[in-house]
Amino acid sequence: MKTINAINGINGIALHYARLPQHPYGTIGRPQDFKVEEGFFEILKTAFDEVFTNCPLGKPNVITCAGILVNKPGHHGLGKAFDLDAIFWDDHTLITNNFIHQKELYLGIESYLRKHFGIVLNYLYPNHADHWHFDTSVNVDYNESSKSETLYLQMVLKYIYGKSIIVDGISGPQTRAATREVFDRLGVSSPITTKVNYLKFLDITGKIAFKLSEEKVSPLQLLENLETVVENLPTENKHGVSQALNSFVMHHDTSTWLNGLDDDHDLESIINDVIT
Ligand SMILES: [Zn+2]
């Protein structure tokens, strides 16, 4: 076991802690020492190095971590699991709980994390909306029966590749068909369950997601985000808010304006850029 307060040495990414009672979640928190198992620390360094070499925002200053060695069963008990709350650059912040508004950046980072950690639990996995959990307790590969892996796959099919599919963590004919289509478009061999194909898919998807994250956000995407937020409201609040939103969207002047907008999301040319 080793004690660390940064990833990648002295000029590296500082590790902070931001959870109540002292420091609210989502803030930059304060520097904190963490105990970590040596082999797992090496994997963390390699993974973060790859994530931030590819990320258009570059190396961040601070990562807030909710725990590495934690007194509980499983890989946290061995110092071989990491809970990542948020990432802070000079002018940007990714707070994991903010997934809906930063889908492309979030999924770009997760695609690279998945190349190194067999277990990654994300925003839609129960109890993980406010942090990524990752560990190496299983091998890196794709299993159809894995809920967390299927959630990731469906999230990128929908939010990166624009396929209209249901994101429920259960693989079925719809998910398989969309996967096959995207693999063909990217020039990646099927099936996804072969490790080398899966790794190639993760790598290309990470690059595409990062490029999309740099594009200007269109009002139509912002409206879509708002609709997602409303869909996720507790039932007792949902009805009134969604009625108000619908009357706004259906109003003659609003709909004229919305119909005149281009969704200038240039996915096809970004895909071509990345795969050639
Ligand atoms: Zn965890």
Side-chain angles (χ1 to χ4, degrees):
M1 217 56 80
K2 170 185 177 82
T3 302
I4 56 164
N5 58 18
I7 306 275
N8 295 336
I10 199 129
N11 292 316
I13 308 164
L15 292 178
H16 285 197
Y17 184 79
R19 289 282 174 131
L20 290 171
Q22 294 93 345
H23 298 274
Y25 174 85
T27 67
I28 202 162
R30 64 171 163 79
Q32 165 103 10
D33 287 342
F34 293 91
K35 282 198 166 52
V36 60
E37 190 269 334
E38 281 89 349
F40 184 71
F41 183 50
E42 292 308 311
I43 298 169
L44 273 179
K45 288 197 281 189
T46 311
F48 284 176
D49 194 51
E50 192 183 14
V51 170
F52 297 115
T53 303
N54 285 283
C55 179
L57 298 169
K59 191 172 72 66
N61 306 314
V62 169
I63 284 178
T64 48
C65 172
I68 301 176
L69 177 69
V70 181
N71 189 10
K72 63 182 184 187
H75 270 54
H76 276 299
L78 306 169
K80 291 161 73 170
F82 194 100
D83 289 337
L84 192 160
D85 283 354
I87 306 174
F88 297 81
W89 292 267
D90 284 339
D91 305 314
H92 282 88
T93 304
L94 174 81
I95 299 168
T96 48
N97 201 21
N98 218 8
F99 165 75
I100 285 166
H101 307 281
Q102 292 176 289
K103 298 184 195 85
E104 295 83 3
L105 182 62
Y106 184 108
L107 291 171
I109 292 169
E110 183 170 329
S111 299
Y112 284 103
L113 290 176
R114 286 190 175 275
K115 293 178 71 181
H116 302 270
F117 303 100
I119 296 274
V120 180
L121 307 179
N122 72 19
Y123 182 79
L124 290 181
Y125 194 84
N127 304 318
H128 287 75
D130 64 358
H131 67 283
W132 269 301
H133 164 103
F134 38 90
D135 69 55
T136 51
S137 58
V138 306
N139 291 329
V140 171
D141 56 12
Y142 176 75
N143 279 297
E144 275 200 341
S145 61
S146 161
K147 181 182 171 104
S148 58
E149 289 162 11
T150 302
L151 278 173
Y152 161 79
L153 175 63
Q154 293 171 331
M155 286 157 89
V156 295
L157 290 173
K158 178 167 177 154
Y159 299 121
I160 301 302
Y161 297 110
K163 301 290 172 199
S164 43
I165 62 159
I166 293 165
V167 179
D168 58 2
I170 299 162
S171 184
Q174 190 190 45
T175 302
R176 280 183 216 120
T179 304
R180 184 96 204 191
E181 253 176 63
V182 168
F183 269 52
D184 287 350
R185 174 68 181 89
L186 300 176
V188 178
S189 310
S190 288
I192 185 178
T193 45
T194 300
K195 183 171 175 177
V196 58
N197 301 341
Y198 181 53
L199 286 176
K200 193 169 178 200
F201 172 68
L202 290 176
D203 192 73
I204 293 178
T205 301
K207 290 191 167 71
I208 292 172
F210 278 149
K211 276 185 185 285
L212 286 171
S213 77
E214 290 182 288
E215 290 216 316
K216 212 168 82 236
V217 183
S218 75
L220 291 176
Q221 285 166 266
L222 295 175
L223 184 62
E224 211 178 279
N225 293 352
L226 182 57
E227 282 164 351
T228 311
V229 172
V230 173
E231 265 166 46
N232 293 330
L233 284 176
T235 329
E236 64 266 31
N237 306 332
K238 191 167 152 175
H239 188 65
V241 180
S242 103
Q243 209 165 41
L245 177 62
N246 283 340
S247 348
F248 171 70
V249 171
M250 319 258 271
H251 185 278
H252 176 262
D253 293 356
T254 321
S255 64
T256 307
W257 169 64
L258 289 173
N259 287 331
L261 289 173
D262 256 349
D263 203 357
D264 40 54
H265 208 62
D266 200 3
L267 177 64
E268 294 308 318
S269 67
I270 288 178
I271 293 178
N272 291 337
D273 269 6
V274 167
I275 64 175
T276 49

